[in-house]
Amino acid sequence: MADAGDTAAEVAAIRDLWTRANREYGDAHAARAWAADDITWGIFNVPEQQLRVLGDVRSLDVVELGCGTAYFCAWLAKRGARPTGVDLTAAQLATARRCQQRSGIVFPLIEADAGDVPLPSGSFDLAVSECGASLWCDPARWLPEAARLLRPAGRLVFHTVSVLAAVCSPEPPGPARRELQRPQREARRLVTAEGGTQFHPGHGEWIAILRASGFAVDDLREVYAPPDATDHPYYQLATADWARRWPVEEIWTAHLER
Ligand SMILES: C[S@@+](CC[C@H](N)C(=O)[O-])C[C@H]1O[C@@H](n2cnc3c(N)ncnc32)[C@H](O)[C@@H]1O
């Protein structure tokens, strides 16, 4: 495993990055996402109906770690779940509150680090993260915290950038290439050009940290772009053509063994 790094400095840099991103497109993107009826995953909007990773969320207490503008929480609330969103960037949560006021879909939003959430242990049935803590927080910090927040046999579903997309991403940043661009060991803890640190453990390391945190792995879904996908207007992660050939993102599902 790579060095632990300076967690406080990393967290501050991520907060700055997402405060800037929120200023640029936070409200516009959030309004569109909150208005959507279907749950989709990733930059190419792969439908949950196709992937079926969440299961029935009715009446479940759900915590989203790194909820951003909280549209994923809103989608879950529309399906009868009781979500709580956790994010460390105040500006993202302010956007989420404006969306709550407009839509009337209201749930708790907590400003906190996913590695240290001020909520009691055993409060949730399901923990989710959609390129939130799952991408931007050291898994050695947030996975044990997810385990603490879950009830016995609680489920975890998280979505992140694939390790393959990470090792094919060039510097300076641009869409993933067809050739490897960096050693996989360096991708584990990757400082982005915008200044935030992303975490891309290899699959073996994900499994090791999940198990050490008390989870049993249920599934790993590799997410490709659908046949009719077009390039994303601003996320440069990969072109639709690349993502039709290689998995651009991945979704892990696990449950607590206790
Ligand atoms: C790409 S957004 C994903 C969230 C959501 N799906 C969205 O698109 O709005 C990343 C979010 O993760 C949050 N985040 C990053 N690291 C975090 C941490 N350690 N604890 C809590 N939130 C974190 C950021 O503040 C940002 O709002």
Side-chain angles (χ1 to χ4, degrees), residues 11 14 18 29 64-72 86-89 92 112-115 130-133 136-137 141 235:
V11 167
I14 287 165
W18 282 101
H29 178 261
E64 182 177 4
L65 297 169
C67 66
T69 59
Y71 58 79
F72 210 91
V86 175
D87 201 284
L88 55 80
T89 306
Q92 294 277 77
D113 178 359
E130 189 222 14
C131 280
W136 298 96
C137 184
R141 292 202 309 115
Y235 285 133

Side-chain angles (χ1 to χ4, degrees), residues 84-174:
T84 295
V86 175
D87 201 284
L88 55 80
T89 306
Q92 294 277 77
L93 296 177
T95 295
R97 287 194 189 93
R98 285 192 284 280
C99 293
Q100 289 191 333
Q101 278 164 9
R102 273 196 297 272
S103 65
I105 303 170
V106 178
F107 45 83
L109 291 168
I110 295 173
E111 187 180 332
D113 178 359
D116 185 13
V117 179
L119 289 171
S121 302
S123 302
F124 297 96
D125 306 298
L126 172 66
V128 297
S129 189
E130 189 222 14
C131 280
S134 50
L135 178 60
W136 298 96
C137 184
D138 191 333
R141 292 202 309 115
W142 75 270
L143 283 175
E145 189 63 344
R148 183 189 71 77
L149 290 168
L150 285 170
R151 299 186 175 122
R155 292 185 71 228
L156 170 69
V157 179
F158 68 90
H159 166 272
T160 189
V161 170
S162 72
V163 69
L164 186 60
V167 296
C168 290
S169 294
E171 199 61 59

Side-chain angles (χ1 to χ4, degrees), residues 49-72:
Q49 275 207 327
Q50 183 184 320
L51 293 172
R52 296 190 182 279
V53 288
L54 285 170
D56 186 355
V57 298
R58 266 174 303 177
S59 304
L60 296 188
D61 292 310
V62 185
V63 64
E64 182 177 4
L65 297 169
C67 66
T69 59
Y71 58 79
F72 210 91

Side-chain angles (χ1 to χ4, degrees), residues 7-20 194-197:
T7 299
E10 265 171 17
V11 167
I14 287 165
R15 192 185 285 115
D16 286 352
L17 188 161
W18 282 101
T19 302
R20 289 196 303 277
E194 300 86 21
T197 306

